[in-house]
Amino acid sequence: MIVPVLLVAGALGAGKTTLLNHLLANPDGRRITAVVNDFGAVDIDAQLLGTVTEEVISLKNGCICCSLQGDLLRTLSAVIKRDPAPDAIVIETSGISDPAEIIRNLMDPVIFKVAPLETVVTLVDPQRLRDAPELEQDALWRSQLRAADFASLTKTDLLDRVALDEVRAVVGRHKPQSAIFEVAHGIVPPDLLFSRELRAPRAMPRQMPVMSEPFATVTWTSRAPLSLARFQQVIGQLAARTLRIKGLLLFTEHPGKPILFQSVATRGTLAPAPLPPADGLTAQLVLIGREGEIAADQIDAVMRGIEMS
């Protein structure tokens, strides 16, 4: 059982708890365990505060980037051993945490083997950045942003378009625009933060909340022999226009050895996969991007280039 980890970072008051509340209330069929430093503001039953539950685990009296490192790793180890294990783990950092320190701890080989860090998202409060432009020079703020796969501008319903574009320009000096998205009320599609298991897609909820930015999902499959060399040549075209890609592939250069490809914002990896694509396919990819920026026919035209006749 492999349980992906989502790390949520950002300054104090950036909206991390709001995002966590939304994910817990709208898990999209996933069993999510949240690990937080202090979740007194999380909207759950009062009796859960200070206890360990199937949903939320509180690490108190310290910061998980320093004094609670051992507690974090022990907690993750215990969560993974649950029966049933969660489908995903969300770690909400303290606003004074440096994600680089936490990421280094999550690279522990024993933990990473079963709970790999899949996505790092850093939240930015646009109004605070406008009120305190010197924040851009703050070493911790810059480290939080530098560690992120995605930068999320929160509370976007409180500012007009001109103001948001100004903030995007500031954040864009540290992250590519393709890795910046806007949210209000913590509403982020879960598939953007931790990708869905390809083999057993879950039913969508009956009603999804309206998101600040519309996203589109495209699935691409193939039964033809595939070239790894061609894939490496063309995948950059797709990574530039998508927010994340995850899929299983079989390449002729490595017969019988399935490959897992993951791309999150500007970061992409190829690694051995425990299982091949389903139903005798040679490729099974799920791609997520902003609505209007990805289309099935365009993706198909690019990906057909990796097929060998």
Side-chain angles (χ1 to χ4, degrees):
M1 180 70 179
I2 296 177
V3 183
V5 173
L6 163 67
L7 184 65
V8 181
L12 293 168
K16 299 185 296 298
T17 298
T18 301
L19 173 63
L20 179 56
N21 273 327
H22 172 71
L23 289 176
L24 292 176
N26 302 274
D28 195 14
R30 296 176 177 85
R31 294 185 303 274
I32 297 175
T33 293
V35 178
V36 300
N37 274 118
D38 184 1
F39 61 99
V42 175
D43 187 18
I44 59 174
D45 293 340
Q47 63 264 31
L48 298 182
L49 298 179
T51 67
V52 176
T53 79
E54 289 299 312
E55 290 183 336
V56 180
I57 298 171
S58 176
L59 299 180
K60 293 183 177 293
N61 302 318
C63 167
I64 58 177
C65 72
C66 43
S67 62
L68 292 181
Q69 290 177 8
D71 285 350
L72 174 62
L73 296 183
R74 284 190 292 272
T75 296
L76 292 180
S77 179
V79 168
I80 295 162
K81 294 175 183 177
R82 286 178 176 174
D83 186 16
D87 298 311
I89 297 171
V90 181
I91 300 174
E92 180 195 352
T93 70
S94 162
I96 59 173
S97 295
D98 185 343
E101 296 293 325
I102 302 168
I103 291 169
R104 185 166 66 246
N105 280 278
L106 292 175
M107 292 299 106
D108 177 279
V110 176
I111 293 294
F112 192 84
K113 185 177 181 180
V114 290
L117 177 60
E118 184 159 302
T119 310
V120 181
V121 59
T122 293
L123 309 188
V124 177
D125 181 349
Q127 187 61 61
R128 184 184 177 199
L129 194 57
R130 283 173 57 81
D131 293 341
E134 65 275 11
L135 185 63
E136 186 183 0
Q137 305 307 319
D138 180 78
L140 177 59
W141 185 85
R142 295 175 71 161
S143 183
Q144 289 174 340
L145 202 56
R146 189 164 51 246
D149 296 310
F150 295 120
S152 172
L153 307 186
T154 60
K155 312 173 189 178
T156 55
D157 55 321
L158 303 179
L159 294 175
D160 60 28
R161 186 70 258 164
V162 173
L164 284 173
D165 286 343
E166 291 175 355
V167 174
R168 285 189 77 111
V170 173
V171 177
R173 290 197 281 267
H174 306 273
K175 306 296 293 185
Q177 287 292 334
S178 62
I180 303 171
F181 61 91
E182 302 172 7
V183 302
H185 310 295
I187 300 175
V188 181
D191 282 351
L192 189 62
L193 301 179
F194 26 66
S195 54
R196 182 171 297 285
E197 168 59 50
L198 293 171
R199 289 192 153 264
R202 301 180 187 276
M204 293 293 289
R206 294 180 182 178
Q207 184 174 358
M208 286 291 288
V210 177
M211 293 172 287
S212 301
E213 290 193 39
F215 295 94
T217 301
V218 173
T219 300
W220 186 81
T221 61
S222 177
R223 294 185 180 275
L226 306 178
S227 164
L228 175 59
R230 294 181 187 176
F231 178 80
Q232 292 173 318
Q233 290 174 354
V234 306
I235 195 61
Q237 301 176 41
L238 294 182
R241 69 179 75 167
T242 57
L243 294 171
R244 82 174 302 138
I245 308 171
K246 187 170 186 177
L248 301 166
L249 304 107
L250 288 169
F251 296 110
T252 57
E253 293 93 329
H254 302 280
K257 297 181 178 180
I259 298 294
L260 172 66
F261 175 75
Q262 296 192 76
S263 173
V264 181
T266 57
R267 173 170 56 91
T269 59
L270 285 165
L275 296 169
D279 303 323
L281 298 169
T282 56
Q284 190 178 12
L285 287 176
V286 176
L287 306 93
I288 301 174
R290 291 184 174 87
E291 194 172 90
E293 295 184 8
I294 65 170
D297 56 344
Q298 296 172 345
I299 290 171
D300 186 68
V302 172
M303 294 304 296
R304 292 301 169 194
I306 75 173
E307 295 180 337
M308 303 176 65
S309 55

